Amino acid sequence: MSEPQPPISRGFRGRRVEAPSRERVPPGQYVTRDFPVLSAGPTPRVPLSEWSFSMHVGGTLLGKWTWPEFQDLPQTRVTVDIHCVTKWSKLDTVWEGVAIDALLEAAGLAAPPTAYLVAHSDGGYSTNVPTADLVGGRAMIATRFADAPLVATHGGPARLLVPHLYFWKSAKWVRGFEFIEADRPGFWEGLGYHMYGDPWREQRYGGD
Ligand SMILES: Nc1nc2c(c(=O)[nH]1)N[C@H]1C(S)=C(S)[C@@H](COP(=O)(O)O)O[C@H]1N2
Ligand SMILES: [Mo]
């Protein structure tokens, strides 16, 4: 693989000790240390006493957890890179929460019941993801970021985290999964963003 090298003069090469290896950053992305907030609407604030997470298929409830019940599920910690379609990437972000594998197991499911799901959030946001992308330790419902409870602006109390897809798939304020047989666009996908959103293939918009 021969990638074009950035035009860095020799005198600056010493500073690249801190630079991330280029193989870690998808095409078209730049690395930031900030954590930008991107929300399509106001930040919803639901008291934990009223919070729950539920999973449905068709009209059937597959599982539902209150906040204390959710805390009792097996917790996972991951360190991952995240990539926003607006071109910022943030490396080595640390999250804790419940892996989707653990959620399915808690609902008594050996595997996802359908090939796709739509994640639904407080405030009306939604996003579609193939269920195969959510299992095998690749996704979680995150409730903690950088060793602290996830703040509301970044999706607290709980958000979906699917770090291998563009970050719009990581629905903030997530409250439930609707399992569906045939893929269906969520909020951004319905406005022209890609149905899958692989940052390594730059699947930003439909047709990419
Ligand atoms: N509910 C909800 N989730 C959302 C969004 C949103 O507007 N509403 N924006 C998405 C987009 S485009 C990005 S890049 C990330 C931003 O997450 P952050 O604000 O924690 O950086 O959240 C995603 N999840
Ligand atoms: Mo985004």
Side-chain angles (χ1 to χ4, degrees):
M1 239 178 84
S2 70
E3 290 193 321
Q5 292 302 307
I8 294 171
S9 75
R10 287 190 75 84
F12 282 92
R13 285 200 187 266
R15 311 197 92 200
R16 298 194 70 199
V17 191
E18 291 216 350
S21 60
R22 291 171 55 76
E23 307 83 65
R24 274 183 75 177
V25 185
Q29 300 292 114
Y30 68 89
V31 173
T32 180
R33 285 175 191 240
D34 302 334
F35 195 174
V37 169
L38 280 98
S39 304
T43 297
R45 292 172 197 271
V46 172
L48 291 182
S49 59
E50 287 166 29
W51 186 91
S52 65
F53 186 85
S54 57
M55 303 196 301
H56 288 86
V57 63
T60 308
L61 181 68
L62 297 171
K64 183 172 181 173
W65 298 269
T66 63
W67 183 258
E69 289 166 346
F70 202 79
Q71 303 309 301
D72 283 342
L73 294 173
Q75 304 288 315
T76 301
R77 182 183 170 96
V78 297
T79 302
V80 293
D81 303 340
I82 54 180
H83 312 290
C84 174
V85 73
T86 63
K87 303 200 167 177
W88 57 266
S89 290
K90 186 171 174 61
L91 307 182
D92 294 321
T93 59
V94 180
W95 305 82
E96 289 162 81
V98 178
I100 307 308
D101 305 286
L103 263 186
L104 292 170
E105 195 182 326
L109 298 167
T114 59
Y116 298 92
L117 64 68
V118 176
H120 293 278
S121 298
D122 279 316
Y125 188 86
S126 61
T127 191
N128 57 315
V129 190
T131 53
D133 283 81
L134 300 179
V135 296
R138 294 208 289 166
M140 65 160 62
I141 306 293
T143 56
R144 295 177 61 81
F145 172 77
D147 294 310
L150 184 59
V151 297
T153 48
H154 284 301
R159 80 181 295 165
L160 180 58
L161 177 69
V162 195
H164 67 279
L165 299 179
Y166 279 126
F167 207 35
W168 88 76
K169 296 288 183 181
S170 295
K172 305 198 280 190
W173 317 297
V174 71
R175 290 290 298 276
F177 285 165
E178 176 193 1
F179 288 93
I180 51 174
E181 304 286 348
D183 201 6
R184 193 181 80 211
F187 178 78
W188 284 121
E189 297 85 4
L191 291 170
Y193 283 81
H194 199 277
M195 287 290 274
Y196 183 62
D198 179 353
W200 297 97
R201 289 184 278 170
E202 283 202 78
Q203 293 174 338
R204 300 174 189 277
Y205 309 104
D208 282 353

